[in-house]
Amino acid sequence: MKVIFVRQNPEYKEKAIKFFQKSWSEISPIIYEDCISNSIAAEQSLPQWYLLEKDEEIIGCAGLITNDFISRMDLYPWLCALFINEDYRGNHYGELLINKAKEGTKDSGFKYLNLCTDYIGFYEKYGSNISNKGIILGKKNPEFIRLNFKYFYAY
């Protein structure tokens, strides 16, 4: 089992783009192509994109980004796009990607790793807590919506 930091392993760029596009098909494919391609030589520490490889097969992904399509631009970085192939779920593989994002958060000098999700129960097992609210960008009715922003202590 290996967590791959795409920026440090640019030979994985095309695999990363394809895996993220397939895993998050509701997001326009050009978004991941552009984000991942431009992250390789980025001067700043963010964004960061990770793949999880088992027996030479990509089985998971996650990202560390500056904003996750929400109104709270004052909070960053954000864990995004965490995904494990269905056949491999239930084995704590997501934790490997979460830990890599925590490491990237700390190495970049940030104290917290943020997460916007409505999936309650999973992330709490890995040290998160609910603590804030904001507006999800792009919603038809942009009223103030309670979100589950979670903070991971990165230190």
Side-chain angles (χ1 to χ4, degrees), residues 2 4 6 12-29 31-33 36 49-54 56-63 80-89 93-94 97:
K2 181 166 87 172
I4 298 154
V6 177
Y12 279 88
K13 180 182 94 169
E14 293 304 320
K15 285 183 181 181
I17 290 167
K18 287 179 180 160
F19 192 84
F20 276 88
Q21 288 173 334
K22 180 181 172 194
S23 301
W24 297 101
S25 59
E26 66 273 15
I27 305 295
S28 174
I31 297 293
Y32 286 119
E33 180 179 351
I36 293 168
W49 300 99
Y50 312 113
L51 296 172
L52 185 62
E53 185 177 66
K54 180 177 182 175
E56 299 184 22
E57 175 188 2
I58 305 299
I59 65 164
C61 63
C80 74
L82 178 66
F83 184 87
I84 301 294
N85 279 346
E86 202 168 319
D87 292 345
Y88 295 96
R89 293 180 187 167
Y93 293 151
L97 291 164

Side-chain angles (χ1 to χ4, degrees), residues 121-150:
F122 176 77
Y123 294 98
E124 290 81 357
K125 294 184 274 188
Y126 302 107
S128 69
N129 61 353
I130 299 170
S131 63
N132 230 315
K133 56 185 170 180
I135 300 167
I136 299 174
L137 302 177
K139 292 287 185 181
K140 286 185 181 180
N141 299 314
E143 68 269 5
F144 204 60
I145 300 168
R146 175 135 183 98
L147 301 177
N148 300 306
F149 287 4
K150 305 185 182 204

Side-chain angles (χ1 to χ4, degrees), residues 99-124:
N99 286 340
K100 186 66 172 176
K102 286 181 181 181
E103 179 185 311
T105 298
K106 182 178 178 181
D107 290 349
S108 296
F110 297 103
K111 186 174 181 183
Y112 299 105
L113 173 57
N114 303 285
L115 172 69
C116 177
T117 184
D118 58 3
Y119 190 48
I120 306 301
F122 176 77
Y123 294 98
E124 290 81 357

Side-chain angles (χ1 to χ4, degrees), residues 31-78:
I31 297 293
Y32 286 119
E33 180 179 351
D34 192 44
C35 289
I36 293 168
S37 294
N38 286 299
S39 74
I40 302 292
E43 291 182 28
Q44 295 80 19
S45 62
L46 299 177
Q48 297 179 16
W49 300 99
Y50 312 113
L51 296 172
L52 185 62
E53 185 177 66
K54 180 177 182 175
D55 301 326
E56 299 184 22
E57 175 188 2
I58 305 299
I59 65 164
C61 63
L64 186 61
I65 59 175
T66 57
N67 189 279
D68 199 12
F69 306 110
I70 58 162
S71 64
R72 294 299 305 271
M73 308 265 178
D74 59 312
L75 303 173
Y76 53 89
W78 294 87

